[in-house]
Amino acid sequence: MSSKSDEVFIGAIDQGTSSTRFLIFNVKGQIVASHQCEYENHYAKAGWVEKSPTEILESIDTAVAGTCRRFNSLGYDASQIKGVGITNQRETTVAFDIETGKELTNAIIWNDVRTKPLVRQLIDEAGSATRFASINGLPITTYFSAVKMRWMLENVPEVQAARERGTLRFGTIDTWLIYKMTGNYVTDVTNASRTMLMDIKTFKWSQECLDFFGVRESELPEIRSSAEVYGTIKDGRLEGIPIGGCLGDQQAAMVGQSCFDAGEAKNTYGTGCFMLFNTGEKPIFSKNGLLTTVGYQLGPDATPKYALEGSIAVAGSAIQWLRDKVGLIVSPAEMGFLSDTVDDNGGVYFVTAFSGLFAPYWRDDARGCIVGLTQYATRGHIARATLESVCYQTRAILEAMRKDSGTELRRLRVDGGLTNSDQTMQIQADILDIEVVRPEMRETTALGAALAAGLAVGVWKSEGELRQVAQSNVTAFWSHITEEKRMEMLKGWDKAVERSLDWA
């Protein structure tokens, strides 16, 4: 009989938009210990969203310390953690000095829209927002890292000075974390595919894209696969443990949901909302407003898998807004209670376009609006309209995926904070009219990073073993409304979207 000291574990750092978590999984993919450190981003001006990279690092130290304390209290030791995976908010951009190791300015968060004038200028220069989509799979928008880098180069004196010295380095959050924890300057294919600077067929930085955006290859990290050892942690509670997995958060959830086959899709309901559809070994370039991205590459010699992606900028953050800025609720748990007080939305629609509308609309001139209000409307109707907003936008993405892939999706795998609400998942099934499947183990993003790291360090040997680990009990939701009712609801949503446009 084996003792506790014989057991092995894998850790996962989940660095998100509003919190950092460190989770420790056993070989069955079960969470043994975890700790979360919430934090607030800075909003210096309207449309600006930023955060100190050092504060992000500090949040990781706090999360790791809390988890390790719990892990130790269970009779385990950090030496039993054989590897650590990183999953991170994507597109968020850091600039630092390679000589000092210090940041040069605050990180620009993925949903920041300060670059909107620059984006319009770049689109004019390019002749089309999709000028480089055949290379990088992406349109020119405020969302991706290259325009954030360009903005820093044009507006931050410290960044300009570091370029002149030859010490400027850019990176997404994964790069910053791996660099500070191991000393190595790398990124993985999934994060690199969100910069607008990587050729998604060759997995190398594209000189054409670099020249256009004004970024030098020497200022960018080495691109590696999603499952290999990038370095060993230099100090702290995890000293000596290799970092062996790295995926952008949505791709990590794809791995954690076992979406390993072409035609499988998952939707993560977090601060934003992100649907990925596995297209297999060849990229499909969207004609319907979706992004073409790298799904994962589980090892340096593994065949990469591609995905179509649709993104919703505001999902769970709309609930935070109702709590923190409007005072409609005291805690997120109230949303379910409030929306349960009404049978439907009462004709109220909430288009949560605080930073514009992402796929498949791609309208940065959209702004949030609540329409259809009458004296009949209550807090319950607004709460329900908030939940419905995410579900309507998910349907729009699903329709675009169906058109691009020529495949009818019959099942959607879901994860993320909002999926804890049975009511929200039932609304989603009603609006989609397909099966919505929620796993018992909801932390699929962190699990995906752990699986990649475990594969890299030999805890698991193959993709087949990863499938077995990621399998769990599920809850299925099916539509309970008529087609007539669904069409009526969708018609109202389309009208609401029209009202949200041309505001900026």
Side-chain angles (χ1 to χ4, degrees), residues 203-319:
F203 299 131
K204 298 184 184 302
W205 300 118
S206 161
Q207 194 60 52
E208 186 177 351
C209 293
L210 292 172
D211 291 343
F212 180 79
F213 289 104
V215 179
R216 298 171 183 170
E217 186 170 356
S218 60
E219 297 165 346
L220 296 172
E222 179 187 355
I223 300 171
R224 307 273 283 273
S225 78
S226 308
E228 60 180 278
V229 174
Y230 311 107
T232 301
I233 297 173
K234 296 183 295 184
D235 50 38
R237 291 173 182 262
L238 303 178
E239 183 178 355
I241 299 173
I243 295 178
C246 179
L247 299 111
D249 51 11
Q250 303 315 316
Q251 285 93 335
M254 195 175 183
V255 172
Q257 284 270 33
S258 274
C259 290
F260 292 127
D261 295 325
E264 294 184 319
K266 71 90 203 171
N267 200 22
T268 297
Y269 302 73
T271 302
C273 197
F274 304 88
M275 188 187 298
L276 266 72
F277 179 93
N278 187 328
T279 62
E281 297 177 11
K282 292 184 178 180
I284 292 176
F285 293 96
S286 178
K287 296 182 175 65
N288 294 283
L290 299 177
L291 310 176
T292 303
T293 196
V294 178
Y296 54 84
Q297 184 189 17
L298 296 177
D301 300 319
T303 302
K305 296 292 181 70
Y306 293 91
L308 285 171
E309 176 175 332
S311 310
I312 301 167
V314 177
S317 56
I319 296 172

Side-chain angles (χ1 to χ4, degrees), residues 241-458:
I241 299 173
I243 295 178
C246 179
L247 299 111
D249 51 11
Q250 303 315 316
Q251 285 93 335
M254 195 175 183
V255 172
Q257 284 270 33
S258 274
C259 290
F260 292 127
D261 295 325
E264 294 184 319
K266 71 90 203 171
N267 200 22
T268 297
Y269 302 73
T271 302
C273 197
F274 304 88
M275 188 187 298
L276 266 72
F277 179 93
N278 187 328
T279 62
E281 297 177 11
K282 292 184 178 180
I284 292 176
F285 293 96
S286 178
K287 296 182 175 65
N288 294 283
L290 299 177
L291 310 176
T292 303
T293 196
V294 178
Y296 54 84
Q297 184 189 17
L298 296 177
D301 300 319
T303 302
K305 296 292 181 70
Y306 293 91
L308 285 171
E309 176 175 332
S311 310
I312 301 167
V314 177
S317 56
I319 296 172
Q320 291 176 316
W321 179 78
L322 288 177
R323 179 192 66 187
D324 300 337
K325 299 296 178 69
V326 180
L328 187 78
I329 56 173
V330 175
S331 71
E334 267 191 273
M335 287 295 290
F337 169 76
L338 274 178
S339 55
D340 269 342
T341 64
V342 296
D343 294 327
D344 55 30
N345 63 17
V348 177
Y349 292 85
F350 183 6
V351 183
T352 56
F354 298 148
S355 303
L357 286 170
F358 285 0
Y361 308 100
W362 293 113
R363 293 290 297 262
D364 61 7
D365 61 341
R367 287 296 178 266
C369 66
I370 300 174
V371 300
L373 291 171
T374 65
Q375 287 183 310
Y376 170 72
T378 66
R379 290 198 306 159
H381 292 115
I382 294 173
R384 184 179 175 98
T386 305
L387 299 178
E388 286 186 356
S389 176
V390 180
C391 301
Y392 286 122
Q393 292 177 78
T394 296
R395 181 184 170 101
I397 293 169
L398 195 65
E399 284 295 305
M401 287 180 171
R402 180 185 60 77
K403 291 175 183 174
D404 280 329
S405 68
T407 302
E408 287 287 347
L409 187 67
R410 295 298 178 189
R411 179 184 300 111
L412 180 65
R413 302 183 189 205
V414 298
D415 57 73
L418 276 176
T419 65
N420 292 325
S421 164
D422 286 358
Q423 185 189 42
T424 304
M425 292 301 95
Q426 185 57 56
I427 293 169
Q428 187 67 89
D430 288 340
I431 289 173
L432 293 181
D433 195 25
I434 63 172
E435 182 185 14
V436 173
V437 178
R438 181 182 66 194
E440 182 180 8
M441 216 293 285
R442 314 287 171 80
E443 303 294 348
T444 55
T445 302
L447 177 61
L451 292 174
L455 188 65
V457 299

